[in-house]
Each structure stands twice: as C-alpha cells, then as structure tokens.
Amino acid sequence: MTATRELLAEPLELRCGAVLPHRIAKAALSEQLGDRRNRPTRELAELYRTWAGGGAGLLVSGNVMVDPAALGEPRNVALPTVADPADFRPWARSVDGTGARLWVQLNHPGRQSPRFLSRQPVAPSAVPFAERGVRTAFAAPRALTGDEIEAIIDRFARAARTFVDAGFSGVQLHGAHGYLISQFLSPLTNLRDDAWGRDRSRFLLEVVRRVRTAVGDSVPVSVKLNSADFQRGGFTEDESLRVVRALGEAGIDLLEVSGGTYEKAAMMGAGAVRESTTRREAYFLDYAAKARRVSDVALMVTGGFTTAEGMAEALRSGALDVIGLGRPLTVDPALPARLLSGEDVRAERLCPRTGIRLADSLLEIQWHTQQLHRVAAGKPADRGRGAWRTLAQGGISDPLNAFRRVRG
C-alpha cells in the first residue's frame, strides 16, 4: 500500500514546466451553476472550494462555452461578448491555499445545443442527428461560413486569455463527445469540401495554435479527445491516433482520453464493456497505450477506476500519467485525499436504475448533477436518493418523453 500511495502522490511536470502536485485529477463535470447572465455563481465557487479541499491535484472545470448564444445546457457558464476577468476571479480563487491547480474547460456545442436553447445551431455541415430520439431534442444545424469558423476560433483564444487573466492556471479544449471540435473531426458531421473539410483536424489544431499564442508558453494547454466515436463511418481510432501525433507536435501539455457522442455515449460506460477493460478498471486504457506509442505528451484517462491499486497499476504500466475521477467525486468530494492517505476506499458508482434504458441515461446525468448541487450548497451527498425521486425533482413526469426532448 505504501508503494501505491507513493505512486499516486508523485508530482508530474508537464512540457510547459508547470507541475501537477500528484496524479489524481477531478475530471470535467457539467455543473450548470451559472447565473442568468451565464456568469459563475457563489455556489460554483463553493463547489470547487470543496473539491480542492478534498485533495484533487488538478481540477478541470465543466463546460465553459465560448459563445453565450451557443449553450449546451441551461446555466452553462459562458464568455460574454465583452469579457471582464474579474467576473471569473472568485471562481479561480476558490482553490487558493489548497495546492490544487484549476483549469478551465472551453467548449462550443455546435449542433449539440438543445432546441429550447437554440432553434438553429451551427455545425461544420448541415447534418442533423440520425437517432430519432436525439433528433427530436436538437434542431437541424446550418453549416458555418468560413468567417464564422475564424470568429469561433478567436473566441476560444479570447476565452483562454480571459480565464488565465482571472487566475486559472491552465486551459482544456473539449474535443470529445460530439461537440463542435469533435464534429469537425468526424466524417459523419464534417462534409465540407473546403480546407476545413479536406483536413478535418485543421479546426482543432488551429484552435490549439491560437490558444497557445493567447496564453503563452508557460500555461498548460490540454485537449480532451475521443479515442473514437463508436459509430459506423465515424471518427475512427486510427484517425484519432493521427490527431494525437499532430497534437503532440503542436505542443499541447496534457491529452485526456475519452470517447463517444450523444448518440453513442461510451464516455458514460454505455453498452457492453470488455472483460479485460473492466478488470483493469478503466474504459480507455488500451487506447492510451497506443497513444503513448505515437506521442510522448502526458496522458490522462477518466472513467472506470475504482481502487487505489487499480489506479497505481495503470500508472505503473506507463500507459498514462494522470487518473481522472468524475462522478465518484459528487458523492465523496474528499476521495482523492483518502486515496492518497492510504485509506482502503473505493470510487463508488451509486446511481440507481429504473430498468428503462432511456430513462436510465437521463437518470445518470440528473442524479450526479443533483449531488454536486447539494455539495455546492454546502450539504452532504444524498447517497440514498432514489431513481424516481431524482427524475421527479428534475421536473420529469414522463422520463421517456422527457429524455427525447432534453437529452444532453
């Protein structure tokens, strides 16, 4: 146990020279704790103060949208047209005195902006969702013009600079889960015949380049990338590995591995998980080992880890450098400190089930969101919260129809 604890507690120096205090990170979770003007609330700062006090060495924020007119969910924090770093400074200061590093995750939803938030979202190409239930929740997008693409890239860069000026110590670009960057990468959603379509990685790499220019060489820049979309004809593992190589050459500091889209939600553990993957306690370890062979960029894997020994074994294998924990921290914010102290504790997944597939997909999101909202309000997690109570509190009287309307 001592060797396991020492391995988890080992600092990690990134390419830019910044140092993570140890190997356990709080991965991004969408908090939905912005105010009516999409600014961070006191509750959001309290949530991160609690997580930082719970021992996570790296805290990656949930979706911060670079355009307030393009939201993925209600109450997303978003960068206003005229941005003032002071609006985000209390959130940045929530980790002061803990040693934790707070990074902002920047995102644009593209076509994944629900109908009640955007009647005509934008995307690389005018491709609606194929799955009927999801298509009901999202309007068909229109294709971006070349000038609009350039403007969105500039928004990413301006947002990165604003948050660094506010006191955030790093930036992550959300290039996974079917959001706009991921849409540019996929041959299913990027049908363009211009330069943005002939090289589908161009958008991501240009965002990385301009963000790096905006924040300088000493600020960590990270990308969250799909290992694959897990859709027939979509972004494949081989394509993803080529992007990993290009991102390493572009000088990013940390790559977080994930996978799936709203239509194929591998990032949530949806569907069957191979026995070998379950045994090694992480969904994307096999891919991480392949990514390690094409780039020496530091790697973070999130999802499926349950024990300190399983985490240490993954680190010991050399396939990754950082362990990402997400939903388990909504019920046990102090889990990182407990793991680092050598306590025999597990990362628990306590969300109940109804047995109805579509309802359970919505329930998985709502149950954990309600838990983190309790933490943000200074309350303990409600570990025994039931499935139907959770759905009812979310305003769901018919979970199947509601899921078709607002899945996200």
Side-chain angles (χ1 to χ4, degrees):
M1 182 59 73
T2 299
T4 294
R5 186 169 65 246
E6 289 177 351
L7 191 55
L8 294 176
E10 184 179 348
L12 176 66
E13 183 174 354
L14 301 175
R15 283 177 165 181
C16 64
V19 177
L20 302 183
H22 57 74
R23 302 306 178 97
I24 301 178
K26 195 285 295 181
L29 295 166
S30 185
E31 310 94 357
Q32 297 182 61
L33 285 171
D35 65 16
R36 292 184 178 181
R37 294 172 59 188
N38 303 110
R39 297 172 305 182
T41 57
R42 274 186 288 180
E43 289 81 8
L44 184 59
E46 178 60 30
L47 176 64
Y48 277 82
R49 187 175 294 110
T50 301
W51 274 331
L58 168 64
L59 299 167
V60 183
S61 82
N63 290 326
V64 170
M65 296 300 173
V66 299
D67 185 348
L71 302 180
E73 297 155 305
R75 299 187 67 189
N76 280 149
V77 173
L79 185 79
T81 302
V82 179
D84 184 351
D87 289 340
F88 307 102
R89 200 157 286 141
W91 186 11
R93 289 176 175 169
S94 66
V95 305
D96 285 357
T98 66
R101 311 296 191 261
L102 177 55
W103 293 4
V104 62
Q105 184 191 76
L106 300 178
N107 195 4
H108 188 296
R111 67 176 187 162
Q112 286 184 181
S113 185
R115 285 180 185 271
F116 66 90
L117 292 175
S118 177
R119 294 192 176 275
Q120 188 170 50
V122 295
S125 302
V127 180
F129 282 96
E131 185 178 313
R132 182 177 178 182
V134 182
R135 190 170 65 242
T136 302
F138 298 94
R142 68 169 178 81
L144 287 159
T145 67
D147 287 344
E148 288 173 327
I149 292 171
E150 292 286 347
I152 289 173
I153 294 172
D154 284 340
R155 279 188 172 272
F156 273 99
R158 188 162 59 88
R161 183 68 255 172
T162 299
F163 278 87
V164 169
D165 287 346
F168 283 72
S169 58
V171 177
Q172 183 179 85
L173 306 173
H174 198 335
H177 303 174
Y179 292 108
L180 183 64
I181 292 175
S182 182
Q183 291 162 34
F184 268 96
L185 291 170
S186 172
L188 293 178
T189 49
N190 184 351
L191 310 181
R192 304 178 71 94
D193 58 7
D194 60 6
W196 302 106
R198 290 191 294 272
D199 177 3
R200 287 182 276 108
S201 66
R202 180 184 176 186
F203 181 79
L204 168 58
L205 294 173
E206 186 60 19
V207 172
V208 168
R209 186 185 70 79
R210 291 196 207 173
V211 165
R212 172 60 76 197
T213 299
V215 300
D217 294 336
S218 62
V219 174
V221 175
S222 169
V223 170
K224 186 170 189 172
L225 184 72
N226 273 1
S227 61
D229 290 344
F230 304 105
Q231 292 179 280
R232 188 183 301 276
F235 186 58
T236 67
E237 184 177 283
D238 286 345
E239 288 179 307
S240 181
L241 289 171
R242 287 195 289 272
V243 174
V244 170
R245 186 189 301 275
L247 287 170
E249 293 169 352
I252 70 166
D253 299 286
L254 180 72
L255 176 72
E256 183 182 357
V257 174
S258 192
T261 66
Y262 278 21
E263 292 172 291
K264 292 291 183 181
M267 66 281 191
M268 291 170 52
V273 179
R274 290 188 302 173
E275 181 182 351
S276 62
T277 303
T278 301
R279 185 171 62 248
R280 289 192 294 162
E281 301 188 349
Y283 301 140
F284 303 111
L285 268 178
D286 288 343
Y287 173 86
K290 296 175 184 176
R292 177 70 81 205
R293 292 196 286 270
V294 301
S295 177
D296 63 356
V297 67
L299 294 172
M300 172 175 163
V301 173
T302 301
F305 292 107
T306 58
T307 65
E309 184 52 43
M311 298 173 197
E313 180 183 347
L315 292 167
R316 202 175 290 119
S317 75
L320 69 156
D321 304 283
V322 180
I323 302 293
L325 297 175
R327 290 175 180 177
L329 299 191
T330 67
V331 294
D332 189 357
L335 179 61
R338 298 172 69 192
L339 290 165
L340 290 165
S341 72
E343 187 177 340
D344 185 13
V345 62
R346 298 176 65 88
E348 298 177 286
R349 294 183 67 87
L350 302 175
C351 182
R353 292 286 181 268
T354 66
I356 305 171
R357 184 177 66 88
L358 292 178
D360 284 343
S361 294
L362 178 61
L363 176 63
E364 179 80 15
I365 297 167
Q366 286 203 351
W367 193 87
H368 289 96
T369 300
Q370 290 174 22
Q371 298 294 349
L372 68 83
H373 283 183
R374 287 181 62 86
V375 175
K379 300 176 182 178
D382 181 2
R383 290 168 168 256
R385 182 174 294 254
W388 297 110
R389 179 186 174 195
T390 300
L391 292 171
Q393 184 169 329
I396 307 302
S397 57
D398 179 346
L400 293 183
N401 287 335
F403 179 83
R404 294 187 182 103
R405 288 196 305 272
V406 301
R407 183 181 181 184

